Amino acid sequence: MAVTRVLPHFLRAAGPFQVHTRTTLRDCLCKHATGKLCYTSAFILQQKRCVSLETTVSPHIADLTDKENRLLTRLYHGLIGGQRAALAESITLVETQHPRKKELAQVLLQRVLAYRQEQERLNEGKPVAFRVGLSGPPGAGKSTFIEVIGKMLTGRGHKVSVLAVDPSSCTTGGSLMGDKTRMTELSRDMNAYIRPSPTSGTLGGVTRTTNEAIVLCEGAGYDIVLVETVGVGQSEFAVADMVDMFVLLIPPAGGDELQGIKRGIIEMADFVVVTKSDGDLIVPARRIQAEYTSALKLLRKKSKIWKPKVVSVSSQTGQGVSELWDTVLQFRDAMLSSGELRVRRQTQQKVWLWNLIQENALRHFEQHPAVCAELPELERRVTRGDISPGLAADLLLKAFTSTP
């Protein structure tokens, strides 16, 4: 695709940021030996502190219509202006499966990323928001806990966004969206934004667009982003790869917790919170707290400077909630001062890059003409037991790679 054809649209998409010259954008492109274009880093922070957008968004965007330009401009300005309606519409845009709208979503994301980068520069290089992931088994009281701590934070002047991922129906693809229903007080708070999303079959309860929704929430001025996920297990590693701090919530009197919850997710936790520590459950909560405190000493530490802590709280009485957040701030300050938070975010970006590459590669494989032609017959032969699934997979991969 000709560079000169793409440049005018991205120059318009740069919005309030100055793009010094068209040459600046052209210089962001490099040539492979094959002559194909490859795209370098997403942003360039110029010496004059002007952000230059690069053509890293979908190369399929060759022509933006006036209607699309108006849509992106309206969403962008509404988003950075803190309009919740614009944020909701923007998240809907990134969640869509429509090919053209997915491309428009990437244009919008690039603009928001550039805006966020400029805000971080003005904040002396520190992140503009703190991301916390929360996970735990059903019945752990995640939604109630989030409402209590969310109300406390908004009362302290923070803007809190909650990305609550609900399990989807295997039949209809929809979800109950019960989390927002439970958070009645927080949902009415104008300094809070709750976005329930169905998993849509995504393993681990984190949708593929959750990471992009976090970026949009930060662009809208929310300085605390809480990501609540479904269930607990090895697949919940996904949320740990997109947040600054991963919190595991567990209920007391839930049986043998150390056996019931996979060891892997405990190793990923920066903080373990025993919920419902009130009434008749105070004693079981203290027992579970002691068990997990001992267990964490035996596990390999995730961070060089932070030892995971175990606390007990009560969302009903508020006991321990304020102290818990003070500990969270200690974690944030320690990670920032050591530079570990920056390294963690950079590593997470690489992880999500490869996650998306794998997902898109699988989609291209499924849509490949040669694969579509051979797949039905190979599936029949596998179900009859004529050939093994491994051989069928090898044949499909051979057809995929040998056909241009």
Side-chain angles (χ1 to χ4, degrees), residues 13 39 57 68 127 153 157 166 176 204 208 230 262 311 315 318 327 349 390:
Y39 298 91
V57 291
E68 291 169 341
L153 292 173
D166 276 358
L176 183 61
R208 61 171 298 277
V230 184
K262 300 296 185 182
V311 299
S315 299
T327 307
Q349 291 299 98

Side-chain angles (χ1 to χ4, degrees), residues 103-104 117 120 152 218 329 369 382 397:
E103 294 169 355
L104 296 177
Q117 188 183 49
E120 289 180 355
M152 183 193 72
E218 293 176 352
L329 295 180
V382 168
L397 287 171

Side-chain angles (χ1 to χ4, degrees), residues 15-36:
F17 305 112
Q18 297 179 11
V19 179
H20 290 175
T21 62
R22 293 170 183 251
T23 307
T24 303
L25 286 177
R26 286 195 181 94
D27 290 341
C28 294
L29 299 176
C30 61
K31 289 278 189 178
H32 277 312
T34 58
K36 295 181 180 179

Side-chain angles (χ1 to χ4, degrees), residues 31-101:
K31 289 278 189 178
H32 277 312
T34 58
K36 295 181 180 179
L37 290 176
C38 70
Y39 298 91
T40 56
S41 60
F43 309 106
I44 295 179
L45 188 61
Q46 309 236 4
Q47 290 182 351
K48 295 182 180 180
R49 299 300 185 184
C50 294
V51 179
S52 174
L53 285 181
E54 179 201 349
T55 53
T56 52
V57 291
S58 173
H60 300 293
I61 295 275
D63 293 296
L64 292 173
T65 66
D66 291 339
K67 182 178 179 181
E68 291 169 341
N69 273 317
R70 288 195 301 269
L71 171 65
L72 293 177
T73 301
R74 176 177 62 81
L75 290 179
Y76 173 75
H77 289 292
L79 190 71
I80 65 173
Q83 298 177 12
R84 298 208 293 183
L87 174 58
E89 191 174 351
S90 299
I91 295 178
T92 300
L93 185 64
V94 302
E95 288 179 345
T96 184
Q97 296 299 315
H98 189 279
R100 180 63 176 182
K101 290 182 179 179

